[in-house]
Amino acid sequence: MPVDPSEDFARAICSDKWDEATGEMSASLFKGENTSVSRLALCPLDETWDLFHRQVEKPPERTLRRIGTMNVGRLQQIGQGFPANPTALTVEPDPLPDFRSHAVIPEKISRGLANAIIRELTVHEENPS
Amino acid sequence: MDILAPTAPYTTSSHFLSGTGDSSPGRVRCFEPGEAARERLILSKLGKSGWGRWQYFRQCFSGGWGERRQKPLSPRSQEVFFSTLATLDIPEQATPSLFLTDDGHIELAWRDADGRAVQIEFGAATSELYLESEGFEATVPNRDLPDLLRERLPA
């Protein structure tokens, strides 16, 4: 059963998709299919930092730079309202043994739609601890 | 004795631009023919930042990487990227960004004078151009990319 539209999700933004010198993100963050996200209802944002550090920093030179968050319902509105190719987007639970909050956006997302999603992403920076 | 020393952990592209930090053990590298020309080209078109990003992708993403064992940097993508870069006119005021996609492709992006995105993804067989200002998005065989860029990105 798809994740409820009232939930929020988080997407890891790593050094291959984030250019520190320009502060720009790659459209390939969402372009394509089976985009991996984490459900904030199961793992709150402050715990998601540690989770993503463990999951995505492979090799260690690939570093987590930011986390992007969005409401599932808003994602669906952006997909349906994308004029070039309206797309029905869902977030499907896909729990993994060491990543229970894991979910995927299974649908294929075009570059234009990926850009539209990125424009509305809330981007978080890690608090120095 | 190990021939290959481990790469220092937690380095980013800034590592490749720093001339003041402690030196880390280097890997044994084979320089490819034409590498000096590629270095000159990327420095002249994308500056030190672009050069640093390219080196970062080459050195740290040559094997499977990420949470899903994403694809390593594609040699064919690099070939198309450099042949395109040689003839590409990036506006002087633009600050280009360089990315690596999960398919191992190089992606070049900048913003036009109105702040709208211009993005090119260089694939092994096909490449993709996106122009936010026109809502234009196209994927073409690599042999057709120069014509598409001439048509859509006139100097």
Side-chain angles (χ1 to χ4, degrees):
Chain A
M1 204 165 96
V3 172
D4 193 88
S6 64
E7 282 196 26
D8 295 336
F9 68 85
R11 172 81 172 141
I13 305 171
C14 294
S15 45
D16 45 295
K17 308 283 189 290
W18 173 268
D19 192 328
E20 199 73 54
T22 59
E24 295 278 356
M25 261 177 285
S26 166
S28 65
L29 194 64
F30 281 95
K31 183 184 160 246
E33 50 197 12
N34 292 322
T35 304
S36 282
V37 298
S38 179
R39 298 168 64 187
L40 291 179
L42 300 182
C43 182
L45 183 61
D46 57 347
E47 293 172 25
T48 302
W49 286 101
D50 281 344
L51 175 73
F52 279 169
H53 279 302
R54 286 196 305 273
Q55 293 290 331
V56 304
E57 293 187 327
K58 300 167 187 172
E61 291 86 353
R62 184 198 199 213
T63 54
L64 177 67
R65 310 306 296 170
R66 300 287 189 279
I67 288 179
T69 62
M70 181 177 276
N71 171 259
V72 173
R74 184 65 196 127
L75 174 79
Q76 292 173 332
Q77 286 173 352
I78 295 168
Q80 291 287 6
F82 188 62
N85 58 325
T87 308
L89 297 174
T90 57
V91 177
E92 304 285 342
D94 183 31
L96 302 173
D98 53 350
F99 189 172
R100 304 287 302 164
S101 59
H102 185 253
V104 294
I105 305 169
E107 296 83 12
K108 189 170 184 179
I109 296 176
S110 69
R111 177 172 290 273
L113 179 52
N115 276 284
I117 294 168
I118 285 171
R119 272 195 292 277
E120 296 211 24
L121 205 60
T122 302
V123 177
H124 305 263
E125 216 169 331
E126 190 168 18
N127 291 328
S129 55
Chain B
M1 190 175 91
D2 289 338
I3 295 174
L4 292 178
T7 305
Y10 300 107
T11 51
T12 64
S13 58
S14 60
H15 164 77
F16 297 103
L17 299 176
S18 170
T20 56
D22 292 339
S23 59
S24 56
R27 286 169 179 260
V28 175
R29 287 185 52 201
C30 291
F31 285 87
E32 296 156 19
E35 176 148 329
R38 283 183 166 187
E39 293 214 338
R40 278 196 302 275
L41 177 60
I42 198 165
L43 274 168
S44 70
K45 296 279 185 145
L46 305 182
K48 278 170 64 178
S49 170
W51 176 87
R53 295 282 287 170
W54 173 53
Q55 293 293 344
Y56 173 54
F57 298 148
R58 291 176 71 203
Q59 295 185 28
C60 300
F61 296 82
S62 55
W65 53 275
E67 66 281 12
R68 292 188 300 180
R69 305 284 299 165
Q70 286 94 318
K71 292 181 181 169
L73 174 59
S74 155
R76 187 77 190 105
S77 171
Q78 289 187 82
E79 277 177 35
V80 182
F81 165 66
F82 279 104
S83 65
T84 303
L85 197 59
T87 58
L88 195 61
D89 283 315
I90 299 171
E92 242 175 64
Q93 77 280 2
T95 50
S97 302
L98 211 58
F99 305 108
L100 181 67
T101 75
D102 288 356
D103 291 323
H105 300 162
I106 290 181
E107 181 188 356
L108 174 64
W110 68 89
R111 293 194 176 271
D112 65 18
D114 299 320
R116 304 294 194 98
V118 178
Q119 299 167 354
I120 311 170
E121 180 180 335
F122 303 91
T126 61
S127 292
E128 190 172 296
L129 173 67
Y130 172 74
L131 302 173
E132 185 185 359
S133 60
E134 303 172 26
F136 177 82
E137 188 173 350
T139 303
V140 296
N142 284 337
R143 65 174 177 279
D144 296 337
L145 183 61
D147 288 342
L148 179 67
L149 295 178
R150 260 193 301 276
E151 181 191 326
R152 292 286 176 169
L153 296 175

